[in-house]
Amino acid sequence: MLSIDMPAIEIGPLSSSAEIRSMLSELLIDVVAHGGSVGFMHPLPLEQAQAFWRNSLAAAALGARIVLGAFERDSLIGTVSLLLDCPPNQPHRAEIAKLMTRRDHRGRGVASSLIRAAETLAVEHRRSLLVLDTATDQGASAFYEKLGYVRAGEIPDYALKPHSGLTGTIVFWKRLQAEPLGATEAIR
Ligand SMILES: CC(C)(COP(=O)(O)OP(=O)(O)OC[C@H]1O[C@@H](n2cnc3c(N)ncnc32)[C@H](O)[C@@H]1OP(=O)(O)O)[C@@H](O)C(=O)NCCC(=O)NCCS
């Protein structure tokens, strides 16, 4: 576990277990119920949430992504995913997805710590470019701007909001100081 400038909170990669899947599913269902735009509609059935995390953690076991969890004692209070499985011509890139903090733990720096941990892991995987998107309505664009992400642009009517109606999405990017890939690695 990494402990990033929040002594009570431990952050580290998650692997699949019934308990982890259940904590992740509970968090996802609650975030969606309260309007979080993270790819799902409300009400999110437990089976759908469980299936999402089962697949996500299976991809993590194969090295295609890293699912990070933030824990306070034994409780999962936040998560973020670093997607590493990019096309062969983008080996230097990774994507940030499914960032969420439990509602009763927001405003304490949990998500910022998760993003910093994801960036550290991205650099370890020699990824020098991160991309992500966030909803224009009830999204987290100001949060990402604070962390140095650059706004590339907005796509209107990109997705449905969890409780109905369309929202646009804002695409962000950030360069990281990662060891450059050699020319031969980059073209492989
Ligand atoms: C966005 C989210 C992950 C932030 O979690 P958090 O743990 O409360 O974030 P932090 O405490 O690290 O916030 C860091 C800073 O960003 C600000 N911030 C947090 N969420 C924000 C938001 N949605 N919009 C604007 N600013 C935000 C905080 O006020 C804080 O500012 P400060 O440093 O000046 O005090 C959380 O609100 C959440 O889970 N939202 C629902 C899911 C979602 O929208 N995820 C993003 C999908 S791309």
Side-chain angles (χ1 to χ4, degrees):
M1 286 275 180
L2 317 159
S3 188
I4 300 205
D5 59 51
M6 295 181 80
I9 294 173
E10 285 192 310
I11 291 178
L14 301 178
S15 48
S16 202
S17 73
E19 189 189 9
I20 291 293
R21 289 194 302 271
S22 151
M23 288 193 285
L24 286 167
S25 300
E26 192 186 315
L27 173 61
L28 180 60
I29 289 168
D30 186 67
V31 163
V32 171
H34 290 86
S37 245
V38 284
F40 294 95
M41 298 300 292
H42 173 74
L44 172 57
L46 178 60
E47 307 70 49
Q48 199 181 335
Q50 290 270 15
F52 171 76
W53 289 116
R54 191 175 306 108
N55 292 337
S56 192
L57 292 164
L62 295 171
R65 62 179 60 190
I66 298 169
V67 181
L68 284 175
F71 286 85
E72 189 162 57
R73 290 179 290 278
D74 291 333
S75 296
L76 180 82
I77 59 172
T79 186
V80 71
S81 295
L82 180 70
L83 311 186
L84 296 165
D85 189 19
C86 292
N89 68 345
Q90 297 156 37
H92 57 294
R93 186 173 76 73
E95 214 164 304
I96 296 278
K98 300 290 180 281
L99 173 70
M100 48 199 124
T101 299
R102 232 170 72 178
R103 282 183 303 122
D104 52 353
H105 288 270
R106 290 192 187 160
R108 297 175 58 199
V110 173
S112 311
S113 297
L114 280 163
I115 292 290
R116 277 197 290 274
E119 290 175 355
T120 300
L121 288 166
V123 170
E124 281 173 17
H125 285 77
R126 299 173 70 190
R127 305 303 167 108
S128 54
L129 180 67
L130 288 182
V131 299
L132 61 88
D133 63 87
T134 190
T136 47
D137 292 13
Q138 262 196 276
S141 53
F143 166 82
Y144 289 117
E145 272 161 9
K146 270 184 195 158
L147 293 177
Y149 286 78
V150 182
R151 186 186 167 115
E154 184 176 330
I155 306 170
D157 293 346
Y158 187 76
L160 288 168
K161 293 185 274 189
H163 291 268
S164 83
L166 287 164
T167 176
T169 198
I170 305 172
V171 179
F172 282 92
W173 59 270
K174 183 177 184 177
R175 279 194 200 284
L176 301 178
Q177 290 301 320
E179 191 190 321
L181 287 160
T184 48
E185 288 169 282
I187 58 170
R188 226 171 254 156

